[in-house]
């Protein structure tokens, strides 16, 4: 049962990937920074814990959608920075359009148009 | 690609660092928000979560490369094998025996039979065999015939004449014809060949030093004493002396100049590679006065002294050459009718040492079959063991599947284990093959009664043969894979619950799997029985041959080959000296009887002669023949031949030259089946003056001298121990015309003959200073003839024991496992009230059934093998009850024991414990 570790908010695996890729779109970042960014941008709703984040990062790296390197931060700390690759950018665009299609479809079902003729 | 575990370690370190850096960043952030350092660190850690778990799940994302997987499998497999040392040891040992012995045997076979000789284009080289009118093979040709064949043919590029030579390195030894198989003290023997000058060029031999022979060295007798050494001999004896060319070596008293050393890989055409080569024109210097065709080989067409081989011209087929050479043989037979008995010539290939033909096949086939059978047993064994063990691990496999392993992974791992086992077995087998060849082979050769120099000259390359080893390894690895695969496939089927509950090991074991296992057990018993029967037959054969009735009493009898050494030898004088020697020997103390004979007993087939029976028309195409020996009157007493009717001839008969003979009972039965043989007349060609014993059948113009039968003697086997003399005539010494008659003296002593044997030489010198006499025990000849039988019996005994050992191990292992599997079942039965004996009977019956099937099949196989062996068996019924019955009984006992012991153990266990048994 290799389905990977699921995060607490029951996000699908693909969704977590999308979040990470999008976050990296805004700039290269290390793991800690990414989790803080996602938290902040989602208004404290999405808190990706380390048990999901790091496996996801390594998985994405294996898939060559992101790349990593070790550098030194401003505070003279050694950090591992991830960045989006070209393939990753393509995959991100594809996932975004999928996501938009999905949410439009969901919206269509969850918010059906008002039936005609009722005042 | 870097070593996977290095990469892995690197990744581990990185992950550790990454997590650490995450924690540091989080701590720093908290500290910036105002928390105390310690507190910050702690809450950062808490927020992070379980570091170990995070690492774990992250690692999973890395996955495994196939190499890493393989290594994991290997490590695990090795651990499993080490945990079951007994099983591992048995399996590896079995494979080692099977593979190792097979490889060793096949290597020897290959060296003799299959490997082409290191000659130029060995396929074009052919050996000539003459065939007599009666179809017998005759390998020797006379020099004059050789010249005719050489000059008249158009199919050969070159025809070579050669023969073996045995000489001493140094002075000529004492004795006219030293038997090379009796090594007198202090002599150094050398075994080489005398060859025509074109020997090296026809074979395409290269020289390491110097040159081969020149044509002029082959023209006139005795003029060119030159010698070429073999590489091995030059290395061994002359320490690779680089200046050897030009030096002189003395062989049998004659100095020879070394003109060359052959290349390292050149060993000639025979397995006993010669140490040196000498031109055949030097033959007289090498042989001695009194020896076979001394000096006459050059002039007499009947003096068959050489073996011939040649190289086919390009584009000529063997059939064409054979036809033409046979034509020449026919021409020679017509031109010299009394001198040439060869009707035609056949050719055989000289590309390998021994060419397999219909005659040799029956000897070789059983050996190959045996070898194959051993391999089969070994594989069946290992397969069985693996199958048995795999069933125990069903639960373990089920658990692994439940924990998330993929089916493919589990199967891969099980198969890797089997392959690892086979590989270990292969390695052990390789070592065993090397060991067998390097230790056992010389031991076996040392037992054979041949001189050391001859053994050393066997230039066989006995490195274990890669091909057969590779083949056998492939077979065993495949068996291992199949054995691992079958249960793996079955066990990893996703029917986990029953496996987890361990139901699979009691009543529910899959029928097909146990049928396979039972089948393997039956096959093992059958194959092993077949092999053992074959071995048993060969051993019994030896017993029979050793105790076979030769019709002679050979204890305390020795022969003397005596001859005059002087160059102007005169036959009458020689005969006289022999008689005098005989007289002198009779007076020695301890001597019971002395006689003379034309042939020594037990030294090969007696000579044959044409005969005529008066009153019966002589047949022109197949004239009557009989074996004969020329003897003095005391011969019968000396060798212990019994008289059944009539009388022997006496000294008076000899002096008066009365034409009387004694014949064997078989002869009487053959020629006069229902009549009294005594008093009948026979015409004997051997006694005819000026005619060689084997005159051409057409030439019966003059009647043969008639002899009257005066006595009948008991049948004997006086030539080869395995051949009954079907006809034998004893001619008195006086009747012999051939100059070599009576050349052997036979002496029977009261007690140990050794004391008398030492006096022989002095007595001979007393008769004539040029008379040399060499004594030899008749029992030694007998032992020499029996040696190959003994070797064969020993070899087959060893093979049989090997097979038995391997099969017993396998049988015991499997049967005891089968029984152990059912421990729980037994526990239940006993708990429900069954008697222990009943349960044991259950087990026994199962075992009995399997054994029964196996024995029946094995007996059938044994019958097949005995048919193959019929060529080698002497006087032994192919269904010898002792061999068949005894062996079958033995094996059945072993099999039943293999059932009984574990059954007993299973039923003596406390039922409660048995019920809990997993």
């Amino acid at each position: 049962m290799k389905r990977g570790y699921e995060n607490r908010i029951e996000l699908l695996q693909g969704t977590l990937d999308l979040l990470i890729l999008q976050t990296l779109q805004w700039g290269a970042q290390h793991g800690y920074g990414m989790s803080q960014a996602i938290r902040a941008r989602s208004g404290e709703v999405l808190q990706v814990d380390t048990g999901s984040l790091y496996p996801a990062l390594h998985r994405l790296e294996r898939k060559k959608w992101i790349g990593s390197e070790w550098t030194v931060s401003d505070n003279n700390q050694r950090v591992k920075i991830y960045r989006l690759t070209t393939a990753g950018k393509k995959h991100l665009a594809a996932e975004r359009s999928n996501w938009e299609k999905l949410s439009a479809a969901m919206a269509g079902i969850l918010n059906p148009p008002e039936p005609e003729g009722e005042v | 690609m870097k070593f996977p575990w290095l990469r892995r370690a690197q990744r581990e370190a990185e992950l550790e660092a990454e997590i650490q850096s995450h924690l540091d960043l989080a701590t720093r952030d908290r500290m910036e928000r105002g928390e105390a350092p310690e507190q910050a660190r702690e809450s950062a850690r808490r927020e992070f979560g379980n570091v170990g778990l995070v690492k774990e799940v992250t690692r999973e994302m890395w996955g495994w490369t196939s190499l890493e997987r393989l290594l994991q499998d290997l490590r695990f497999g090795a651990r499993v094998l080490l945990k079951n040392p007994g099983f591992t040891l048995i399996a590896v040992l079995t494979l080692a025996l099977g593979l190792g012995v097979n490889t060793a045997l096949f290597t020897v076979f290959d060296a003799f039979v299959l490997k082409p000789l290191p000659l130029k284009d060995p396929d074009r080289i052919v050996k000539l065999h003459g065939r007599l009118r009666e179809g017998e093979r005759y390998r020797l040709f006379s020099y004059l015939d050789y010249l005719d064949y050489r000059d008249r043919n158009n199919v050969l590029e070159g025809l070579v004449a050669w023969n073996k030579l045995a000489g001493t390195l140094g002075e000529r030894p004492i004795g006219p014809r030293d038997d090379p198989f009796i090594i007198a003290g202090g002599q150094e023997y050398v075994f080489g060949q005398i060859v025509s000058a074109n020997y090296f060029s026809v074979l395409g031999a290269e020289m390491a030093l110097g040159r081969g022979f020149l044509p002029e060295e082959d023209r006139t007798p005795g003029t060119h004493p030159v010698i070429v050494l073999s590489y091995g001999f030059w290395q061994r004896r002359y320490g690779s002396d680089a200046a050897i060319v030009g030096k002189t070596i003395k062989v049998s008293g004659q100095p020879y100049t070394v003109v060359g050393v052959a290349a390292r890989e050149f060993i000639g055409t025979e397995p006993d590679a010669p140490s040196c080569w000498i031109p055949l024109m030097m033959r007289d210097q090498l042989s001695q006065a009194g020896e076979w065709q001394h000096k006459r080989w050059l002039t007499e067409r009947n003096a068959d002294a050489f073996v011939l081989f040649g190289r086919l011209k390009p584009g000529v087929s063997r059939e064409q050459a054979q036809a033409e050479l046979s034509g020449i043989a026919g021409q020679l037979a017509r031109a010299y009718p009394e001198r040439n008995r060869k009707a035609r010539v056949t050719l055989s290939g000289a590309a390998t040492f021994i060419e397999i033909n219909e005659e040799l096949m029956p000897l070789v086939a059983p050996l190959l079959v045996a070898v194959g059978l051993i391999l089969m047993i070994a594989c069946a064994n290992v397969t069985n063991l693996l199958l048995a063990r795999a069933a125990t691990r069903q639960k373990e496999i089920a658990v692994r599947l439940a924990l998330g392993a993929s089916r493919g992974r589990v199967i891969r791992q099980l198969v890797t284990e089997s392959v690892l086992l086979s590989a270990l077995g292969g390695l052990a087998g390789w070592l065993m093959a090397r060991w067998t060849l390097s230790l056992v082979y010389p031991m076996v050769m040392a037992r054979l009664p041949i001189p050391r120099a001859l053994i050393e000259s066997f230039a066989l390359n006995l490195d274990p043969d890669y091909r057969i080893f590779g083949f056998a390894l492939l077979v065993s690895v495949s068996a291992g894979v199949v054995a691992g695969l079958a249960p793996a496939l079955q066990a990893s089927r996703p029917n986990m619950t029953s496996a987890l509950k361990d139901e699979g090991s009691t009543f529910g074991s899959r029928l097909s799997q146990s049928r396979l296992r039972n089948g393997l057990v039956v096959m093992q018993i059958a194959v092993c029985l077949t092999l053992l029967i074959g071995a048993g037959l060969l051993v019994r054969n030896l017993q029979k041959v050793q105790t076979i009735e030769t019709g002679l009493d050979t204890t305390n009898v020795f022969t003397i080959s005596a001859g005059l050494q002087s160059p102007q030898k005169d036959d009458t004088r020689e005969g006289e000296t022999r008689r005098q020697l005989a007289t002198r020997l009779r007076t020695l103390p301890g001597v019971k009887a002395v006689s003379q004979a034309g042939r020594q007993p037990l030294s090969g087939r007696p000579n044959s002669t044409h005969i005529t029976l008066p009153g019966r028309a002589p047949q022109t195409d197949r004239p009557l023949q009989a074996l004969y020996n020329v003897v003095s009157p005391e011969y019968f007493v000396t060798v212990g031949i019994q008289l059944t009717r009539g009388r022997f001839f006496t000294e008076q008969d000899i002096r008066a030259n009365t034409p009387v003979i004694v014949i064997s009972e078989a002869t009487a039965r053959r020629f006069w089946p229902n009549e009294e043989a005594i008093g009948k007349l026979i015409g004997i060609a051997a006694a005819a003056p000026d005619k060689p014993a084997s005159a051409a059948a057409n030439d019966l113009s003059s009647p043969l001298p008639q002899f009257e039968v005066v006595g009948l003697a008991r049948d004997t086997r006086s030539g080869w121990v395995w051949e009954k003399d079907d006809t034998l005539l004893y001619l008195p010494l006086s009747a012999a015309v051939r100059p070599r008659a009576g050349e052997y003296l036979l002496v029977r002593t009261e007690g140990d003959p050794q004391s008398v044997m030492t006096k022989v030489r002095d007595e001979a010198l007393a008769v004539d200073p040029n008379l040399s006499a060499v004594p030899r025990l008749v029992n030694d000849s007998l032992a020499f003839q029996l040696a190959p039988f003994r070797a064969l019996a020993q070899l087959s005994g060893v093979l049989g024991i090997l097979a038995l050992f391997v099969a017993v191990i396998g049988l015991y292992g499997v049967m005891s496992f089968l029984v152990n599997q059912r421990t729980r079942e037994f526990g239940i039965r006993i708990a429900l009230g069954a008697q222990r004996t009943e349960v044991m009977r259950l087990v026994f019956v199962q075992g009995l059934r399997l054994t029964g099937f196996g024995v029946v099949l094995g007996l059938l196989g044994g019958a097949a093998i005995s048919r193959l062996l019929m060529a080698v068996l002497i006087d032994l019924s192919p269904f010898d009850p002792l061999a068949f019955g005894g062996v079958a009984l033995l094996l059945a006992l072993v099999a039943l024991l293999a059932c009984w012991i574990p059954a007993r153990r299973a039923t003596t266990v406390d039922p409660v414990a048995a019920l809990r048994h997993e």
Side-chain angles (χ1 to χ4, degrees):
Chain A
M1 287 68 132
K2 267 202 289 204
R3 284 209 233 115
Y5 194 83
E6 298 169 32
N7 67 46
R8 286 190 208 125
I9 206 168
E10 307 274 340
L11 280 178
L12 292 175
Q13 192 183 65
T15 322
L16 179 57
D17 291 354
L18 185 54
L19 282 178
I20 292 173
L21 291 173
Q22 182 62 49
T23 309
L24 287 178
Q25 171 90 309
W26 301 323
Q29 189 59 270
H30 47 70
Y32 178 67
M34 265 187 270
S35 75
Q36 299 299 88
I38 292 176
R39 208 184 197 178
R41 299 254 180 166
S42 69
E44 302 290 319
V45 176
L46 299 173
Q47 299 185 10
V48 187
D49 66 13
T50 52
S52 313
L53 179 68
Y54 280 105
L57 284 173
H58 284 243
R59 182 167 25 90
L60 290 173
E61 187 175 4
R62 223 176 93 199
K63 291 219 174 108
K64 307 239 192 287
W65 289 330
I66 62 182
S68 70
E69 63 176 353
W70 283 89
T71 102
V72 180
S73 78
D74 322 327
N75 300 311
N76 272 331
Q77 249 187 310
R78 267 200 89 211
V79 288
K80 191 173 181 188
I81 303 276
Y82 292 90
R83 73 163 49 80
L84 211 50
T85 63
T86 328
K89 287 199 183 110
K90 287 204 191 108
H91 184 77
L92 174 60
E95 285 297 296
R96 280 195 68 148
S97 86
N98 281 342
W99 176 259
E100 263 135 40
K101 284 193 197 128
L102 180 64
S103 56
M106 291 292 289
I109 293 175
L110 293 174
N111 307 318
E114 302 249 339
E116 294 282 303
E118 222 176 80
V119 177
Chain B
M1 181 194 182
K2 268 200 272 200
F3 290 123
W5 54 85
L6 281 183
R7 264 185 70 207
R8 205 163 189 79
Q10 195 184 19
R11 275 208 206 136
E12 269 302 320
E14 275 193 18
L15 182 59
E16 174 70 41
E18 189 174 0
I19 289 177
Q20 190 56 49
S21 109
H22 180 123
L23 288 170
D24 289 340
L25 289 167
T27 311
R28 221 171 43 83
D29 269 359
R30 283 176 186 276
M31 275 165 60
E32 270 172 18
R33 273 186 258 143
E35 283 184 42
E38 268 313 313
Q39 220 187 348
R41 208 161 310 182
E42 249 188 69
S43 31
R45 284 249 20 218
R46 231 176 311 141
E47 194 187 24
F48 190 91
N50 186 335
V51 171
L53 189 57
V54 171
K55 278 194 189 166
E56 190 67 40
V57 291
T58 311
R59 265 190 223 122
E60 261 180 53
M61 291 301 132
W62 294 342
W64 309 102
T65 59
S66 44
L67 189 61
E68 286 169 338
R69 259 191 290 251
L70 182 65
L71 284 171
Q72 263 192 328
D73 286 343
L74 283 175
R75 262 210 311 270
F76 187 71
R79 255 205 340 257
V80 167
L81 289 179
L82 283 174
K83 265 188 72 184
N84 298 302
F87 166 83
T88 311
L89 197 66
I90 288 179
V92 168
L93 199 66
T94 306
L95 279 175
L97 284 174
L99 289 176
V101 169
N102 267 338
T103 307
L105 283 174
F106 191 81
T107 305
V108 173
F109 179 72
D110 180 57
F112 271 104
V113 176
L114 296 179
K115 207 176 278 207
L117 294 175
L119 308 168
K120 187 172 75 147
D121 283 338
D123 304 313
R124 304 299 295 164
I125 301 188
V126 287
K127 296 182 184 169
L128 273 72
H129 304 274
R131 282 206 187 257
L132 306 180
R133 207 175 315 271
E134 298 84 38
E136 272 173 62
R137 277 220 220 185
Y138 198 81
R139 225 167 56 122
L140 297 176
F141 294 77
S142 66
Y143 184 69
L144 294 173
D145 277 355
Y146 160 66
L147 291 178
D148 281 330
Y149 280 105
R150 187 187 67 181
D151 300 333
R152 291 192 200 181
N153 87 84
N154 293 316
V155 289
L156 298 174
E157 250 176 24
L159 188 64
V160 174
W162 68 276
N163 209 332
K164 297 195 186 176
L165 83 88
T168 52
L169 213 53
E171 292 307 327
R172 176 175 295 258
I174 303 166
R177 194 207 308 208
D178 276 325
D179 200 328
F181 302 115
I182 295 176
I183 301 181
Q187 297 281 6
E188 191 183 344
Y189 279 83
V190 65
F191 296 95
Q193 289 178 355
I194 45 170
V195 297
S196 53
N198 54 357
Y199 177 81
F200 293 105
S201 56
V202 166
L203 287 179
E206 310 252 324
M207 290 291 141
L209 291 178
R211 60 169 176 83
F213 294 132
L214 303 170
E216 56 261 20
E217 282 158 354
D218 201 19
R219 288 221 184 96
T220 18
T223 49
H224 285 85
V226 291
I227 188 171
V228 170
L229 306 178
S230 79
Y231 194 90
F233 184 59
W234 171 63
Q235 247 186 344
R236 276 195 311 267
R237 184 63 179 67
Y238 297 100
S240 307
D241 177 6
I244 191 87
V245 177
K247 290 200 178 157
T248 310
I249 294 178
K250 247 189 186 170
V251 176
S252 297
Q254 161 86 24
Y256 292 87
T257 318
V258 178
V259 294
V261 174
R264 181 195 281 266
E265 54 294 338
F266 181 73
I267 52 171
T269 56
E270 303 292 305
D272 47 332
S275 300
C276 60
W277 292 272
I278 291 178
L280 59 82
M281 280 297 160
M282 299 302 297
R283 196 181 184 282
D284 292 329
Q285 279 70 21
L286 287 163
S287 65
Q288 303 184 35
E291 261 191 55
W292 186 231
Q293 288 143 1
H294 184 71
K295 285 210 192 342
R296 293 179 320 157
W297 59 275
L298 199 54
T299 50
E300 273 200 34
R301 203 162 267 279
N302 215 19
D304 300 319
F306 298 104
V307 182
L308 304 184
F309 69 82
R311 179 181 283 279
L312 293 172
K313 275 197 177 142
V316 173
S317 75
R318 213 189 272 187
E319 291 73 33
Q320 279 177 287
Q322 191 164 298
E324 178 160 324
L325 291 167
S326 292
I328 299 177
Q331 290 172 3
L332 291 172
R334 278 190 292 279
Y336 309 97
E338 327 85 53
R339 310 268 171 193
N340 257 291
R341 296 158 66 207
K342 293 192 194 67
R344 57 193 175 90
V345 166
T346 54
L347 299 178
S348 69
T352 57
F353 282 139
I354 297 176
E355 217 191 23
I356 296 281
N357 47 25
E358 328 77 49
E359 291 170 11
L360 279 184
M361 220 31 197
L363 294 175
V364 162
L367 195 67
L368 293 179
V369 166
V371 159
L373 285 180
I374 291 188
L375 187 62
M376 250 211 295
I377 294 181
C379 285
N381 242 356
V382 175
T383 308
N384 247 346
L385 287 171
L386 283 173
L387 281 177
R389 215 175 48 101
T392 31
R393 299 171 71 193
Q394 272 195 341
K395 195 170 168 201
E396 170 204 332
I397 293 172
V399 167
R400 283 164 97 209
L401 286 173
L403 281 179
S406 76
R407 198 166 161 223
R409 189 85 175 78
V410 171
I411 291 176
R412 241 199 326 263
Q413 195 266 313
L414 286 174
V415 169
T416 309
E417 235 176 83
S418 312
V419 171
L420 185 64
L421 193 64
S422 307
L424 278 177
L427 183 66
W430 176 258
L431 290 174
M432 172 141 295
R434 283 205 82 95
W435 173 80
T436 309
L437 285 171
S438 59
L439 289 182
V440 173
Y441 178 77
M443 262 174 21
V444 167
M445 291 305 273
R447 282 169 175 279
L448 296 179
I450 43 184
R452 186 172 197 81
L454 200 57
I455 296 179
E456 268 171 23
S457 69
F458 268 84
L460 293 174
N461 177 19
L462 284 183
D463 287 329
D465 186 23
Y466 296 95
R467 283 171 300 167
I468 188 60
F469 182 77
F471 171 72
L473 188 63
L474 193 69
V475 168
S476 60
V477 167
S478 321
V481 166
V482 165
L485 206 59
L489 283 172
Q490 182 258 320
S492 57
R493 218 163 284 169
N495 184 6
M496 281 179 272
T497 36
S498 72
L500 280 170
K501 282 200 233 156
D502 205 21
E503 273 167 16
S505 61
T506 53
F507 302 100
S509 51
R510 286 184 62 86
L511 205 56
S512 60
Q513 195 181 357
S514 58
R515 214 178 274 149
L516 178 67
R517 223 179 297 141
N518 286 345
L520 280 172
V521 169
V522 167
M523 196 197 82
Q524 262 187 293
I525 297 179
V527 167
C528 186
L529 188 60
T530 306
L531 258 183
L532 283 177
I533 287 179
L537 282 172
L538 286 172
V539 170
R540 285 274 297 151
N541 197 27
L542 175 69
Q543 270 185 333
K544 279 252 166 163
V545 167
Q546 277 185 313
T547 57
I548 210 165
E549 269 288 327
T550 52
L552 311 168
D553 179 9
T554 55
T555 36
N556 296 335
V557 179
F558 67 93
T559 63
I560 305 173
S561 70
L564 279 180
Q565 284 276 59
S566 67
Q568 323 94 330
K569 187 194 59 170
D570 159 21
D571 288 339
T572 344
R573 170 88 190 116
E574 194 177 49
E576 182 55 41
T577 51
R578 290 198 188 112
R579 265 192 294 280
Q580 288 178 356
L581 180 59
T583 320
R584 283 187 79 100
L585 289 174
R586 269 186 210 109
T587 61
L588 288 180
V591 169
K592 269 179 92 169
V594 178
S595 60
Q596 284 179 270
R599 272 196 82 95
Q600 305 183 65
L602 298 175
S603 63
R605 203 146 189 262
N607 292 326
S608 76
T609 175
H610 288 281
I611 59 168
T612 54
L613 298 172
R616 291 190 213 183
Q619 296 146 290
T620 45
D621 56 333
R622 272 202 80 89
L624 289 174
Q625 287 220 326
L627 302 175
Y628 75 100
N629 201 356
V630 179
V631 301
S632 68
E634 306 101 335
Y635 176 78
F636 304 96
V637 163
T638 317
V639 295
I641 298 178
Q642 294 186 336
L643 183 72
T644 48
R645 269 220 303 285
R647 65 171 181 89
F648 290 133
F649 37 80
T650 61
E651 276 296 335
Q652 278 174 314
D653 291 318
I654 302 263
R655 273 195 290 267
N657 226 332
T658 32
V660 289
I661 59 164
V662 174
I663 63 175
S664 70
E665 288 185 309
T667 320
R669 274 195 300 272
R670 174 114 177 267
F671 294 140
W672 300 284
N674 296 315
E675 310 165 52
E676 173 61 63
I678 298 194
K680 295 278 191 297
L681 296 174
I682 302 185
I684 301 180
D690 294 319
K691 258 199 182 36
S694 42
N698 305 328
D699 192 8
L700 286 176
S701 43
S702 45
L704 300 174
Q706 306 285 308
F707 286 79
E708 182 189 344
V709 176
V710 295
L712 263 60
R714 184 143 297 176
D715 287 333
T716 55
R717 295 169 187 259
S718 60
W720 297 121
V721 106
W722 54 83
E723 250 181 28
K724 259 203 176 109
D725 301 326
D726 50 34
T727 54
L728 194 53
L729 312 172
Y730 298 96
L731 271 71
L733 216 50
S734 52
V737 186
R738 288 167 69 86
R740 325 261 357 204
E743 69 176 297
Y744 291 100
L745 277 71
L746 291 92
V747 179
R748 171 179 284 278
T749 58
E750 290 276 353
D752 181 21
Q754 285 295 343
S755 50
V756 180
M757 282 165 81
T758 46
K759 299 198 188 110
V760 164
R761 202 153 78 198
D762 296 328
E763 294 293 333
L765 289 174
V767 168
D768 186 316
N770 284 321
L771 182 65
S772 61
V774 179
R776 182 181 180 185
L777 278 175
V778 173
N779 272 339
D780 282 351
S781 307
L782 187 59
F784 187 73
Q785 282 194 28
L786 292 179
F789 291 96
R790 189 166 294 128
L792 196 60
Q794 282 179 342
L795 183 66
S796 51
V798 166
L799 280 181
I801 291 180
L802 198 68
L804 185 64
F805 185 63
V806 168
V808 161
I809 291 177
L811 265 179
Y812 185 81
V814 171
M815 290 224 163
S816 80
F817 170 76
L818 285 175
V819 168
N820 269 333
Q821 279 285 64
R822 303 170 68 185
T823 306
R824 205 153 155 218
E825 174 196 339
F826 296 156
I828 293 175
R829 285 180 189 263
I830 293 176
L832 287 179
Q835 296 290 357
R836 291 188 199 277
T837 43
E838 277 175 29
V839 173
M840 267 186 60
R841 195 154 37 106
L842 198 70
V843 172
F844 231 60
V845 166
Q846 183 194 38
L848 206 68
R849 214 179 18 224
L850 289 179
T851 310
F853 275 128
V855 166
V856 165
L857 282 177
L859 287 174
L860 288 174
I865 271 222
S866 74
R867 281 221 56 211
L868 279 177
L869 284 175
M870 250 163 51
V872 191
L873 294 180
I874 293 161
D875 221 24
L876 195 67
S877 148
F879 296 112
D880 183 50
L882 209 65
F884 275 70
V887 166
L889 208 65
L890 175 69
L891 204 59
L893 275 174
V894 166
L896 291 178
L897 207 71
C899 300
W900 187 69
I901 295 179
R904 196 150 182 285
R905 205 162 15 124
T907 56
T908 50
V909 167
D910 174 28
V912 177
L915 282 168
R916 289 209 209 104
H917 175 81
E918 301 191 44

